[in-house]
Amino acid sequence: MWLQGPAAKCEAIPAERKHPWRLVLLGAPGVGKGTQAELLAERLGACHLSTGDVFRAAAKCDDCDQSPAMKAALEYMRRGDLVPDSTVWEMVRERGDCILRCGGFILDGFPRTLGQAESLKQLMEQEKLSLSAVLNYELPVNEIVQRLSGRRTCEQCKSVFHVTERPPKVENACDRCGGRLYQREDDRPESITVRLDAYERSTAPLIQFYKDLGLLVSIVAKGSPDEIAARTMNRLKDLAGH
Ligand code: AMP
């Protein structure tokens, strides 16, 4: 539903939970937020909401009637730049039900600027909801560049591989569904630099923002996806109230 837009009915509404997890994942592009978001969504029974996935789905949809704002947004994305806050917020608001009514959520790639973080805070306050935690995944820059430039994504199911760290069994084919693997346009070297600059400029300040709100939990993003997820689950268990 998150990918299809406001009119789509959610087929997979998670069960009501006494303590739904409402998490934001932070970290530079390439630290593995998307993979962690998927693993955590499975383990916590929450919805995985990725603004980057929505933009990529829009970019691939040839027969969709894209608004001028969405067309402009996709140009920003192709360059590796951040999409303007107003467009991102409009899209998140359209899908507000996912944030407000599901049995918890994991936001991956949103918020990405202080403006977006403020908008989310206001929305949550209006609805008398609060975030459980903000998980900040940390990794040195040289490892990030290596991860991004070798990353390959399945065209069909979005599974993520790496040419050396997590190669598929058959070259260029997804282990899960057999779909073709491709390199995201914004994982090319010229876009990686732009994305890391945008992260430092716009997203890194969110670390202090959420630290001041007492929500920040930092996690070392080294090791296999399962190891990082286990580390994350341990930290979540330690958090009071759950
Ligand atoms: P991601 O998959 O999260 O790395 O997002 C891919 C691209 O989508 C980013 O490089 C941006 O161009 C765009 N994007 C995704 N989420 C946001 C956001 N919250 N704010 C601005 N741009 C975004």
Side-chain angles (χ1 to χ4, degrees):
M1 181 192 180
W2 177 254
L3 292 184
Q4 285 165 22
K9 286 269 169 284
C10 190
E11 300 271 311
I13 299 174
E16 281 285 316
R17 275 161 202 276
K18 207 163 162 211
H19 296 294
W21 285 98
R22 298 194 175 95
L23 300 172
V24 166
L25 305 197
L26 287 185
V31 291
K33 288 190 303 295
T35 307
Q36 287 307 307
E38 265 178 41
L39 294 174
L40 293 176
E42 265 171 35
R43 286 168 204 195
L44 302 173
C47 287
H48 171 197
L49 309 174
S50 155
T51 41
D53 279 353
V54 178
F55 287 128
R56 277 185 290 280
K60 280 183 68 184
C61 185
D62 295 331
D63 52 356
C64 296
D65 199 7
Q66 284 165 357
S67 66
M70 182 55 95
K71 282 197 182 114
L74 297 179
E75 269 314 303
Y76 283 97
M77 187 184 81
R78 287 189 185 104
R79 286 199 303 268
D81 262 329
L82 290 186
V83 173
D85 281 356
S86 54
T87 311
V88 176
W89 184 241
E90 198 179 313
M91 200 179 79
V92 172
R93 284 298 288 146
E94 278 182 350
R95 293 162 176 81
D97 277 1
C98 295
I99 291 183
L100 303 179
R101 302 213 175 87
C102 290
F105 59 76
I106 297 173
L107 285 177
D108 155 23
F110 176 86
R112 240 184 170 100
T113 63
L114 282 173
Q116 294 176 16
E118 290 285 4
S119 300
L120 176 65
K121 186 163 172 278
Q122 274 173 25
L123 174 74
M124 303 274 299
E125 280 169 1
Q126 263 167 32
E127 301 293 333
K128 305 202 172 17
L129 295 174
S130 50
L131 290 175
S132 317
V134 174
L135 307 179
N136 179 35
Y137 288 95
E138 296 178 327
L139 199 66
V141 172
N142 56 341
E143 289 189 41
I144 289 176
V145 173
Q146 201 245 346
R147 275 198 195 179
L148 285 176
S149 51
R151 179 158 73 174
R152 298 293 180 270
T153 308
C154 173
E155 263 180 359
Q156 288 177 39
C157 75
K158 312 276 178 299
S159 291
V160 177
F161 296 84
H162 190 279
V163 285
T164 54
E165 305 298 314
R166 196 183 166 210
K169 292 191 186 99
V170 177
E171 205 181 335
N172 287 326
C174 174
D175 288 354
R176 212 195 259 175
C177 73
R180 199 179 73 89
L181 302 185
Y182 76 107
Q183 181 173 42
R184 277 169 44 172
E185 250 175 302
D186 58 355
D187 280 345
R188 303 208 168 119
E190 58 280 17
S191 301
I192 291 177
T193 322
V194 180
R195 287 168 74 198
L196 289 176
D197 283 351
Y199 172 77
E200 275 309 320
R201 219 179 28 251
S202 306
T203 313
L206 293 186
I207 295 171
Q208 192 60 43
F209 178 85
Y210 284 121
K211 202 183 258 176
D212 292 345
L213 292 173
L215 288 168
L216 197 79
V217 176
S218 289
I219 295 169
V220 177
K222 286 195 184 218
S224 70
D226 280 330
E227 282 164 357
I228 302 168
R231 201 172 293 146
T232 307
M233 292 298 286
N234 281 337
R235 298 297 302 276
L236 292 180
K237 272 192 211 133
D238 293 342
L239 288 181
H242 282 273

